[in-house]
């Protein structure tokens, strides 16, 4: 029974967790290692009575492993490839000017995201890309639902402020 449950959770959460970790660290190899370690640690210590808690708990483990990895590495890499998806849908086009503009927007969005504190990056990603509920965010980040709402609001506001500051091109944060 337990093996079947783990198999189901792995099938359900492997890809979303991998995408989360990859977008946070920017490396396929690191994301794969962190994903493997997430499931390993979960299997060693998970005793969930309610299967609905599994998703939030797995993301919490993955987040903590990512933070540990981030602390250990010497230079920070790109955290997300396309933060633009957090705030607007992108249109698919093959016009060179539009493609170039979208590439610039993507690079600017990635740079802006790097300016945000880790908790804000995580909340934006999990809420907007992985579509976590406020309750799942609260459980994953060990926050109250009110703290999640406030932090998400502040993260969106801060992202937009950086966006306005860099409209003429990226600066060095000054």
């Amino acid at each position: 029974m337990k093996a079947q449950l783990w198999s189901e959770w792995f099938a359900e959460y492997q890809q979303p967790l991998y995408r989360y970790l990859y977008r946070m660290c920017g490396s396929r190899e690191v994301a794969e290692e962190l994903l493997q370690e997430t499931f390993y640690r979960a299997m060693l210590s998970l005793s969930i009575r309610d299967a609905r808690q599994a998703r939030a708990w797995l993301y919490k483990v993955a987040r903590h492993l990512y933070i540990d990895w981030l602390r250990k590495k010497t230079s920070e890499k790109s955290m997300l490839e396309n933060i633009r998806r957090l705030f607007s849908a992108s249109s698919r086009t093959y016009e060179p000017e539009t493609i170039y503009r979208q590439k610039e927007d993507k690079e600017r969005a990635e740079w802006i995201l790097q300016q945000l504190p880790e908790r804000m990056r995580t909340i934006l990603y999990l809420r907007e890309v992985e579509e976590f509920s406020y309750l799942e965010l609260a459980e994953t980040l060990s926050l109250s639902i009110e703290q999640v709402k406030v932090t998400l609001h502040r993260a969106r506001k801060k992202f937009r402020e950086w966006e306005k500051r860099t409209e003429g091109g990226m600066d060095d944060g000054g």
Side-chain angles (χ1 to χ4, degrees), residues 85-100:
R85 285 185 286 173
L86 296 178
F87 302 103
S88 65
S90 63
S91 61
R92 301 211 176 225
T93 182
Y94 299 101
E95 297 175 23
E97 288 180 27
T98 306
I99 291 170
Y100 180 76

PDB file of all heavy atoms in Angstrom, residues 85-100:
ATOM      1  N   ARG A  85       5.682  35.016 -17.762  1.00  0.00           N
ATOM      2  CA  ARG A  85       4.466  34.223 -17.641  1.00  0.00           C
ATOM      3  C   ARG A  85       3.733  34.497 -16.337  1.00  0.00           C
ATOM      4  O   ARG A  85       2.550  34.232 -16.222  1.00  0.00           O
ATOM      5  CB  ARG A  85       4.794  32.740 -17.738  1.00  0.00           C
ATOM      6  CG  ARG A  85       5.098  32.309 -19.146  1.00  0.00           C
ATOM      7  CD  ARG A  85       5.293  30.846 -19.190  1.00  0.00           C
ATOM      8  NE  ARG A  85       6.602  30.567 -18.592  1.00  0.00           N
ATOM      9  CZ  ARG A  85       7.053  29.364 -18.342  1.00  0.00           C
ATOM     10  NH1 ARG A  85       6.321  28.332 -18.573  1.00  0.00           N
ATOM     11  NH2 ARG A  85       8.254  29.181 -17.814  1.00  0.00           N
ATOM     12  N   LEU A  86       4.434  35.036 -15.350  1.00  0.00           N
ATOM     13  CA  LEU A  86       3.782  35.316 -14.075  1.00  0.00           C
ATOM     14  C   LEU A  86       2.749  36.434 -14.183  1.00  0.00           C
ATOM     15  O   LEU A  86       1.814  36.498 -13.407  1.00  0.00           O
ATOM     16  CB  LEU A  86       4.826  35.713 -13.033  1.00  0.00           C
ATOM     17  CG  LEU A  86       5.845  34.661 -12.660  1.00  0.00           C
ATOM     18  CD1 LEU A  86       6.835  35.221 -11.671  1.00  0.00           C
ATOM     19  CD2 LEU A  86       5.172  33.438 -12.106  1.00  0.00           C
ATOM     20  N   PHE A  87       2.958  37.315 -15.136  1.00  0.00           N
ATOM     21  CA  PHE A  87       2.120  38.508 -15.175  1.00  0.00           C
ATOM     22  C   PHE A  87       1.340  38.704 -16.465  1.00  0.00           C
ATOM     23  O   PHE A  87       0.382  39.457 -16.493  1.00  0.00           O
ATOM     24  CB  PHE A  87       2.984  39.742 -14.909  1.00  0.00           C
ATOM     25  CG  PHE A  87       3.679  39.635 -13.591  1.00  0.00           C
ATOM     26  CD1 PHE A  87       5.019  39.308 -13.525  1.00  0.00           C
ATOM     27  CD2 PHE A  87       2.979  39.799 -12.418  1.00  0.00           C
ATOM     28  CE1 PHE A  87       5.651  39.167 -12.314  1.00  0.00           C
ATOM     29  CE2 PHE A  87       3.612  39.666 -11.200  1.00  0.00           C
ATOM     30  CZ  PHE A  87       4.950  39.350 -11.146  1.00  0.00           C
ATOM     31  N   SER A  88       1.748  38.055 -17.543  1.00  0.00           N
ATOM     32  CA  SER A  88       1.000  38.201 -18.789  1.00  0.00           C
ATOM     33  C   SER A  88       1.299  37.045 -19.714  1.00  0.00           C
ATOM     34  O   SER A  88       2.383  36.485 -19.693  1.00  0.00           O
ATOM     35  CB  SER A  88       1.358  39.518 -19.479  1.00  0.00           C
ATOM     36  OG  SER A  88       2.709  39.506 -19.866  1.00  0.00           O
ATOM     37  N   ALA A  89       0.327  36.723 -20.531  1.00  0.00           N
ATOM     38  CA  ALA A  89       0.514  35.650 -21.508  1.00  0.00           C
ATOM     39  C   ALA A  89       1.309  36.188 -22.685  1.00  0.00           C
ATOM     40  O   ALA A  89       1.096  37.310 -23.129  1.00  0.00           O
ATOM     41  CB  ALA A  89      -0.845  35.144 -21.982  1.00  0.00           C
ATOM     42  N   SER A  90       2.221  35.388 -23.177  1.00  0.00           N
ATOM     43  CA  SER A  90       3.014  35.827 -24.317  1.00  0.00           C
ATOM     44  C   SER A  90       2.395  35.303 -25.600  1.00  0.00           C
ATOM     45  O   SER A  90       1.912  34.193 -25.667  1.00  0.00           O
ATOM     46  CB  SER A  90       4.457  35.339 -24.190  1.00  0.00           C
ATOM     47  OG  SER A  90       4.478  33.939 -24.210  1.00  0.00           O
ATOM     48  N   SER A  91       2.428  36.137 -26.605  1.00  0.00           N
ATOM     49  CA  SER A  91       1.887  35.733 -27.888  1.00  0.00           C
ATOM     50  C   SER A  91       2.998  35.077 -28.696  1.00  0.00           C
ATOM     51  O   SER A  91       4.140  35.468 -28.630  1.00  0.00           O
ATOM     52  CB  SER A  91       1.344  36.948 -28.630  1.00  0.00           C
ATOM     53  OG  SER A  91       2.389  37.870 -28.855  1.00  0.00           O
ATOM     54  N   ARG A  92       2.636  34.081 -29.458  1.00  0.00           N
ATOM     55  CA  ARG A  92       3.616  33.402 -30.295  1.00  0.00           C
ATOM     56  C   ARG A  92       3.635  34.093 -31.656  1.00  0.00           C
ATOM     57  O   ARG A  92       2.616  34.201 -32.309  1.00  0.00           O
ATOM     58  CB  ARG A  92       3.264  31.939 -30.453  1.00  0.00           C
ATOM     59  CG  ARG A  92       3.215  31.262 -29.113  1.00  0.00           C
ATOM     60  CD  ARG A  92       3.609  29.837 -29.248  1.00  0.00           C
ATOM     61  NE  ARG A  92       3.622  29.284 -27.902  1.00  0.00           N
ATOM     62  CZ  ARG A  92       4.575  28.532 -27.458  1.00  0.00           C
ATOM     63  NH1 ARG A  92       5.572  28.221 -28.217  1.00  0.00           N
ATOM     64  NH2 ARG A  92       4.536  28.053 -26.240  1.00  0.00           N
ATOM     65  N   THR A  93       4.811  34.511 -32.028  1.00  0.00           N
ATOM     66  CA  THR A  93       4.967  35.179 -33.303  1.00  0.00           C
ATOM     67  C   THR A  93       6.335  34.833 -33.865  1.00  0.00           C
ATOM     68  O   THR A  93       7.232  34.430 -33.124  1.00  0.00           O
ATOM     69  CB  THR A  93       4.820  36.707 -33.159  1.00  0.00           C
ATOM     70  OG1 THR A  93       4.947  37.287 -34.444  1.00  0.00           O
ATOM     71  CG2 THR A  93       5.867  37.289 -32.229  1.00  0.00           C
ATOM     72  N   TYR A  94       6.473  35.005 -35.153  1.00  0.00           N
ATOM     73  CA  TYR A  94       7.743  34.703 -35.794  1.00  0.00           C
ATOM     74  C   TYR A  94       8.356  35.937 -36.427  1.00  0.00           C
ATOM     75  O   TYR A  94       9.283  35.836 -37.204  1.00  0.00           O
ATOM     76  CB  TYR A  94       7.556  33.579 -36.825  1.00  0.00           C
ATOM     77  CG  TYR A  94       7.059  32.316 -36.164  1.00  0.00           C
ATOM     78  CD1 TYR A  94       5.732  31.936 -36.218  1.00  0.00           C
ATOM     79  CD2 TYR A  94       7.928  31.520 -35.422  1.00  0.00           C
ATOM     80  CE1 TYR A  94       5.289  30.781 -35.578  1.00  0.00           C
ATOM     81  CE2 TYR A  94       7.498  30.370 -34.778  1.00  0.00           C
ATOM     82  CZ  TYR A  94       6.169  30.009 -34.864  1.00  0.00           C
ATOM     83  OH  TYR A  94       5.735  28.880 -34.227  1.00  0.00           O
ATOM     84  N   GLU A  95       7.830  37.121 -36.093  1.00  0.00           N
ATOM     85  CA  GLU A  95       8.388  38.359 -36.608  1.00  0.00           C
ATOM     86  C   GLU A  95       9.676  38.666 -35.848  1.00  0.00           C
ATOM     87  O   GLU A  95       9.684  38.671 -34.618  1.00  0.00           O
ATOM     88  CB  GLU A  95       7.391  39.502 -36.439  1.00  0.00           C
ATOM     89  CG  GLU A  95       6.113  39.299 -37.231  1.00  0.00           C
ATOM     90  CD  GLU A  95       5.087  40.381 -36.944  1.00  0.00           C
ATOM     91  OE1 GLU A  95       5.477  41.483 -36.512  1.00  0.00           O
ATOM     92  OE2 GLU A  95       3.906  40.110 -37.148  1.00  0.00           O
ATOM     93  N   PRO A  96      10.766  38.950 -36.578  1.00  0.00           N
ATOM     94  CA  PRO A  96      12.065  39.163 -35.914  1.00  0.00           C
ATOM     95  C   PRO A  96      12.042  40.244 -34.842  1.00  0.00           C
ATOM     96  O   PRO A  96      12.623  40.048 -33.773  1.00  0.00           O
ATOM     97  CB  PRO A  96      12.988  39.550 -37.080  1.00  0.00           C
ATOM     98  CG  PRO A  96      12.349  38.957 -38.278  1.00  0.00           C
ATOM     99  CD  PRO A  96      10.871  38.984 -38.021  1.00  0.00           C
ATOM    100  N   GLU A  97      11.389  41.365 -35.099  1.00  0.00           N
ATOM    101  CA  GLU A  97      11.354  42.438 -34.096  1.00  0.00           C
ATOM    102  C   GLU A  97      10.654  41.987 -32.828  1.00  0.00           C
ATOM    103  O   GLU A  97      11.102  42.282 -31.721  1.00  0.00           O
ATOM    104  CB  GLU A  97      10.656  43.674 -34.666  1.00  0.00           C
ATOM    105  CG  GLU A  97      11.474  44.420 -35.696  1.00  0.00           C
ATOM    106  CD  GLU A  97      10.742  45.638 -36.240  1.00  0.00           C
ATOM    107  OE1 GLU A  97       9.886  46.208 -35.522  1.00  0.00           O
ATOM    108  OE2 GLU A  97      11.041  46.007 -37.374  1.00  0.00           O
ATOM    109  N   THR A  98       9.552  41.277 -32.986  1.00  0.00           N
ATOM    110  CA  THR A  98       8.798  40.807 -31.826  1.00  0.00           C
ATOM    111  C   THR A  98       9.589  39.757 -31.053  1.00  0.00           C
ATOM    112  O   THR A  98       9.624  39.777 -29.824  1.00  0.00           O
ATOM    113  CB  THR A  98       7.434  40.235 -32.263  1.00  0.00           C
ATOM    114  OG1 THR A  98       6.756  41.225 -33.029  1.00  0.00           O
ATOM    115  CG2 THR A  98       6.589  39.841 -31.073  1.00  0.00           C
ATOM    116  N   ILE A  99      10.235  38.849 -31.769  1.00  0.00           N
ATOM    117  CA  ILE A  99      11.056  37.826 -31.123  1.00  0.00           C
ATOM    118  C   ILE A  99      12.181  38.487 -30.327  1.00  0.00           C
ATOM    119  O   ILE A  99      12.442  38.134 -29.175  1.00  0.00           O
ATOM    120  CB  ILE A  99      11.623  36.829 -32.165  1.00  0.00           C
ATOM    121  CG1 ILE A  99      10.492  35.990 -32.743  1.00  0.00           C
ATOM    122  CG2 ILE A  99      12.685  35.934 -31.529  1.00  0.00           C
ATOM    123  CD1 ILE A  99      10.902  35.149 -33.937  1.00  0.00           C
ATOM    124  N   TYR A 100      12.822  39.482 -30.926  1.00  0.00           N
ATOM    125  CA  TYR A 100      13.910  40.186 -30.250  1.00  0.00           C
ATOM    126  C   TYR A 100      13.399  40.892 -28.994  1.00  0.00           C
ATOM    127  O   TYR A 100      14.008  40.822 -27.935  1.00  0.00           O
ATOM    128  CB  TYR A 100      14.561  41.191 -31.206  1.00  0.00           C
ATOM    129  CG  TYR A 100      15.697  41.964 -30.579  1.00  0.00           C
ATOM    130  CD1 TYR A 100      16.928  41.354 -30.384  1.00  0.00           C
ATOM    131  CD2 TYR A 100      15.525  43.279 -30.157  1.00  0.00           C
ATOM    132  CE1 TYR A 100      17.969  42.047 -29.802  1.00  0.00           C
ATOM    133  CE2 TYR A 100      16.558  43.980 -29.566  1.00  0.00           C
ATOM    134  CZ  TYR A 100      17.781  43.360 -29.400  1.00  0.00           C
ATOM    135  OH  TYR A 100      18.805  44.045 -28.818  1.00  0.00           O
TER     136      TYR A 100
END
